[in-house]
């Protein structure tokens, strides 16, 4: 199918295409009917995103903005202890969690981020304050920590948590990562909200690669890599090995794919195929994307088998599986 024909096909088909677009595990027409109306729709990475989505929805229903909903949802994950997010996430090679986060607001195309920050309990709030209170987009390291303290955010002294860091160091015999090494695991939270006005906001938060070299920054705080929001088109975000995302501005690429007519799932899958085409790792990339368009259609795709993502509307809240990509589906015309 040519690109133009494919595009018009995607536009013309509504419920059927939308149902296909959300991938395996979404065959119910009840779910599909929610894909053709606008928000609120909230999507996030992994199963632990579901309670975050639900808090985001309550925030919207209580009169909060899409940005408030993103912040509240991600704050929940940052203190849940269930993921590689927040101070209970994965420490670096020096035994200290260095956290990355970013936030974007569709209206006004605003963005803020913090990277390599230590001791800040809610990096997502620090990112929002960078966006709202400074002329900058990104603060890093000690400056980001100092700014967070100045803004009244809760900041701990990582050294005071010495016992847990020492225990972690003792249990860990591996050296710092070397060229070609892969992380133990990655489970960044990326959460995107489409509100009832059709406005989008999104955020990500992570402690990044477990045992990373101190100072390493991943994709999550980099606008266009771990997250991208375009209020005219849609939004996308990533989880997985940041090094494989940030060299390709991959979330930006997903949004651009949607701009050119692809469904959210196909936009995610196409970005992965494009990266896999040039990356020596091929489909062994450990990257996953979620996306939502301005119409409230959503989807996900990943190289990690059955990448779970969470989707919440006022009518349902579920964990679903993104489109799995493998060598066999990276060719032109892979599964929707
Ligand atoms: N995706 C999170 C990271 O690589 O740091």
């Amino acid at each position: 199918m040519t690109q133009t024909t494919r595009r018009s096909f995607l536009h013309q088909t509504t419920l059927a295409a939308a149902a296909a677009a959300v991938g395996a595990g979404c065959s119910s027409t009840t779910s599909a009917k929610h894909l053709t109306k606008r928000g609120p729709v909230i999507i996030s990475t992994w199963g632990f995103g579901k309670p975050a989505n639900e808090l985001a929805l309550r925030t919207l229903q209580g009169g909060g903005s899409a940005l408030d909903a993103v912040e509240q949802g991600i704050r929940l994950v940052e203190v849940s202890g269930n993921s590689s997010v927040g101070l209970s996430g994965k420490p670096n090679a020096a035994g200290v969690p260095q956290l990355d986060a970013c936030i974007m607001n569709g209206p006004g195309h605003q963005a803020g981020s913090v990277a390599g920050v230590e001791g800040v309990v809610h990096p997502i709030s620090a990112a929002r304050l960078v966006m709202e209170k400074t002329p900058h987009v990104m603060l890093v390291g000690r400056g980001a920590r100092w700014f967070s303290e100045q803004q009244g955010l809760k900041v701990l002294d990582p050294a005071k948590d010495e016992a847990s860091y020492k225990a972690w160091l003792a249990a860990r015999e591996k050296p710092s990562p070397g060229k070609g090494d892969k992380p133990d695991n990655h489970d960044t939270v990326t959460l995107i909200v489409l509100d009832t006005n059709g406005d989008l906001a999104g955020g990500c938060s992570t402690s990044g690669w477990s045992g990373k070299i101190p100072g390493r920054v991943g994709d999550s705080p980099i606008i266009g890599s771990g997250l991208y929001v375009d209020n005219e088109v849609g939004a996308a975000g990533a989880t997985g090995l940041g090094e494989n995302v940030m060299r390709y501005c991959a979330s930006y690429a997903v949004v651009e794919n949607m701009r050119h007519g692809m469904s959210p799932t196909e936009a995610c899958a196409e970005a992965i195929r494009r990266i896999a085409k040039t990356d020596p790792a091929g489909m062994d990339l450990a990257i996953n994307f979620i996306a939502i368009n301005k119409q409230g259609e959503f989807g996900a795709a990943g190289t990690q088998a059955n990448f779970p993502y969470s989707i919440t509307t006022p009518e349902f809240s579920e964990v679903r599986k993104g489109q799995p990509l493998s060598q066999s589906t990276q060719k032109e015309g892979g599964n929707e």
Side-chain angles (χ1 to χ4, degrees):
M1 198 180 285
T2 66
Q3 195 63 30
T4 312
T5 317
R6 178 176 184 76
R7 201 175 301 149
S8 46
F9 169 78
L10 288 167
H11 277 309
Q12 282 158 21
T13 52
T14 51
L15 297 184
V22 297
C26 175
S27 55
S28 100
T29 50
T30 313
S31 300
K33 94 176 177 217
H34 298 295
L35 305 180
T36 54
K37 68 169 198 176
R38 287 203 168 178
V41 182
I42 300 147
I43 188 168
S44 62
T45 49
W46 308 107
F48 59 69
K50 187 166 165 280
N53 286 3
E54 289 162 3
L55 178 56
L57 181 63
R58 290 197 296 280
T59 303
L60 288 175
Q61 289 169 334
S65 65
L67 203 59
D68 295 333
V70 166
E71 183 182 9
Q72 291 308 314
I74 291 180
R75 281 174 68 99
L76 184 68
V77 184
E78 286 175 337
V79 291
S80 69
N82 290 334
S83 62
S84 299
V85 179
L87 289 175
S88 58
K90 305 289 191 295
N92 65 16
V96 179
Q98 283 186 329
L99 308 179
D100 296 338
C102 80
I103 199 161
M104 281 193 85
N105 197 22
H109 203 70
Q110 299 168 303
S113 84
V114 291
V117 65
E118 296 178 10
V120 175
V121 176
H122 289 297
I124 191 67
S125 297
R128 180 172 179 175
L129 286 162
V130 171
M131 179 176 84
E132 292 182 338
K133 305 281 187 197
T134 81
H136 309 308
V137 170
M138 187 173 200
L139 297 180
V140 304
R142 287 168 66 182
R145 179 188 160 93
W146 175 86
F147 171 77
S148 302
E149 266 179 321
Q150 294 296 308
Q151 291 295 322
L153 293 182
K154 191 168 176 188
V155 177
L156 307 179
D157 181 353
K160 288 201 176 129
D161 201 14
E162 219 179 302
S164 62
Y165 294 139
K166 280 193 176 150
W168 179 81
L169 281 172
R172 188 175 176 280
E173 288 169 2
K174 289 187 213 159
S176 296
K179 196 87 183 154
D181 283 358
K182 291 180 181 170
D184 294 342
N185 63 51
H186 267 255
D187 46 10
T188 297
V189 63
T190 300
L191 187 149
I192 299 166
V193 171
L194 177 75
D195 70 15
T196 43
N197 300 323
D199 287 326
L200 288 151
C204 322
S205 187
T206 191
S207 59
W209 183 327
S210 171
K212 63 193 174 186
I213 295 172
R216 177 264 187 189
V217 170
D219 61 315
S220 302
I222 308 295
I223 302 301
S225 286
L227 177 78
Y228 195 67
V229 176
D230 184 320
N231 213 43
E232 283 187 355
V233 176
T239 179
L241 182 49
E243 278 72 3
N244 288 339
V245 175
M246 60 205 295
R247 284 178 288 131
Y248 296 89
C249 304
S251 292
Y252 177 78
V254 173
V255 172
E256 289 305 292
N257 289 342
M258 291 193 286
R259 186 191 303 282
H260 295 117
M262 290 184 203
S263 71
T265 299
E266 180 56 16
C268 294
E270 179 54 25
I272 294 172
R273 286 194 288 264
R274 189 168 154 191
I275 297 169
K277 209 154 64 177
T278 54
D279 198 291
M283 276 291 163
D284 190 22
L285 287 161
I287 54 173
N288 311 285
F289 295 98
I290 55 172
I292 184 165
N293 68 18
K294 196 73 177 159
Q295 289 70 45
E297 296 170 333
F298 57 86
T303 61
Q304 285 169 260
N306 297 324
F307 158 58
Y309 70 99
S310 298
I311 184 77
T312 301
T313 75
E315 288 79 24
F316 65 92
S317 186
E318 296 169 6
V319 179
R320 295 185 181 177
K321 306 288 187 205
Q323 180 185 314
L325 290 184
S326 64
Q327 296 295 345
S328 62
T329 58
Q330 66 176 290
K331 298 185 195 84
E332 173 72 21
N335 295 334
E336 185 75 18

